[in-house]
Amino acid sequence: MKTILITGTTNGIGKETVLSLARQGHQIVMANRSRDKSQRLADEISKQTGNTNISLLDLDLMSLASVRECAAEFKRLHPKLDVLLNNAGMMAHEEVKTRDGFEAQFAVNNLAQLLLTVELIPALEAAAPSHVIFVTSMMHKLGKIDFDSFRGWKKYNANGSYAQSKLAMMLNAAELAKRLEHKKIAVNTLHPGAVSTGIIDGYSPLAQFFIKMIFTTPEKGARTSIYLANMDPEMAPTGKYFVNSKVAKPGKQTRDQALQKSLWKASCELCGLSPEAV
């Protein structure tokens, strides 16, 4: 039995992932913004699976203070963490700022998840060999890093901002993989496929209708997350990108080591971390 912390579980891929992993008997910790939705889901999944070893944490990825509080509470309650599944994400069709003054997609999809991972390293190290998994997107291949956009764009483009945030996640995951390998903490990323989830809610009803016809289901989209969460930690690779439960080739920019280091430094500083803390 593994202790698995999963973010963003109240719908879509996260919900299906929790359901499958709970059926397998793992200890599940769900970290979400809505305590009421989390509790209803925990009750539902316990009833379906017979697994009552499901607990909740409050987490608002729009607030770095909330991220720190969530990590601190996890470490207070649990001696170790076998798998951290950074599943939560957002797409904003209009520019939004977080409580810390950052552009929301960059903050939620990159900064908050980086900070959560770093804050949980002691628990991951206690369980080593352990595994950190980031749910990214093939959209990272279209991303470009604009260091001047992190607190707001001169001209906002939702898709461009989203692609940048997922590229940033990929770059920081690659840097984390190198920095954590000696601690026996594997770090991998995955593309779940084009999945019809709540992330499309900002589109028009007509657009949502056609998207749902083309996109795959959350159940199918969760398969690679479940595959990696169940992977034998002794056998897990690190620094890899997975599609359809197989290692795939990421975008060219993710292999730019100079860009990795410069974004790592900038991201850590924006989170209030020392770049050499890991």
Side-chain angles (χ1 to χ4, degrees):
M1 180 186 74
K2 296 179 180 179
T3 299
I4 304 175
L5 171 58
I6 311 177
T7 66
T9 67
T10 53
N11 56 41
I13 296 169
K15 180 178 178 180
E16 293 297 333
T17 302
V18 170
L19 181 59
S20 178
L21 295 174
R23 282 198 183 106
Q24 295 161 21
H26 297 296
Q27 179 181 25
I28 307 296
V29 183
M30 302 192 303
N32 295 297
R33 184 169 53 183
S34 171
R35 170 68 65 147
D36 289 343
K37 286 183 179 179
S38 288
Q39 189 61 64
R40 286 197 296 272
L41 178 61
D43 294 343
E44 175 188 332
I45 289 177
S46 291
K47 186 176 180 180
Q48 287 186 45
T49 66
N51 185 343
T52 59
N53 206 357
I54 301 173
S55 58
L56 312 178
L57 288 174
D58 296 318
L59 174 64
D60 182 356
L61 293 173
M62 294 281 280
S63 164
L64 295 181
S66 174
V67 173
R68 290 189 178 90
E69 289 167 5
C70 177
E73 183 68 359
F74 178 90
K75 289 183 288 187
R76 186 182 72 81
L77 295 171
H78 304 276
K80 65 174 187 171
L81 176 59
D82 296 285
V83 178
L84 170 59
L85 180 47
N86 287 298
N87 169 77
M90 74 169 294
M91 184 174 190
H93 293 270
E94 296 181 355
E95 188 168 36
V96 179
K97 297 287 185 70
T98 68
R99 298 175 192 176
D100 305 289
F102 301 117
E103 188 274 313
Q105 293 194 98
F106 179 78
V108 168
N109 295 338
N110 176 53
L111 295 181
Q113 301 193 48
L114 170 63
L115 179 60
L116 181 64
T117 303
V118 171
E119 292 289 327
L120 288 170
I121 286 174
L124 289 159
E125 197 169 4
S130 51
H131 203 168
V132 177
I133 304 161
F134 291 92
V135 178
T136 183
S137 166
M138 68 179 296
M139 285 283 288
H140 80 270
K141 296 181 179 182
L142 304 178
K144 294 181 180 179
I145 301 297
D146 180 351
F147 285 84
D148 294 326
S149 72
F150 299 161
R151 292 188 181 272
W153 293 84
K154 290 181 180 177
K155 186 175 181 181
Y156 184 74
N157 177 280
N159 289 329
S161 173
Y162 181 78
Q164 171 180 258
S165 73
K166 292 299 187 177
L167 174 58
M169 175 190 283
M170 293 285 291
L171 289 162
N172 279 330
E175 187 68 20
L176 267 172
K178 291 182 288 189
R179 290 171 178 261
L180 295 179
E181 188 170 13
H182 72 285
K183 296 180 182 289
K184 296 185 178 180
I185 302 172
V187 180
N188 291 297
T189 58
L190 71 93
H191 168 58
V195 182
S196 178
T197 67
I199 205 166
I200 69 171
D201 288 348
Y203 290 98
S204 69
L206 182 61
Q208 289 186 45
F209 173 77
F210 286 109
I211 286 171
K212 288 175 181 178
M213 288 179 65
I214 298 169
F215 281 23
T216 191
T217 63
E219 182 180 6
K220 291 180 180 178
R223 288 176 181 173
T224 304
S225 294
I226 296 162
Y227 168 77
L228 288 175
N230 277 318
M231 184 177 282
D232 181 348
E234 294 281 2
M235 305 297 291
T238 192
K240 301 299 183 183
Y241 170 60
F242 286 79
V243 180
N244 293 326
S245 302
K246 296 179 181 178
V247 175
K249 189 175 181 179
K252 183 178 179 181
Q253 289 188 85
T254 65
R255 302 188 294 277
D256 184 332
Q257 295 194 20
L259 185 57
Q260 286 177 20
K261 292 184 184 303
S262 57
L263 181 70
W264 172 264
K265 182 175 184 293
S267 297
C268 285
E269 290 174 351
L270 290 172
C271 288
L273 297 167
S274 166
E276 302 308 318
V278 179

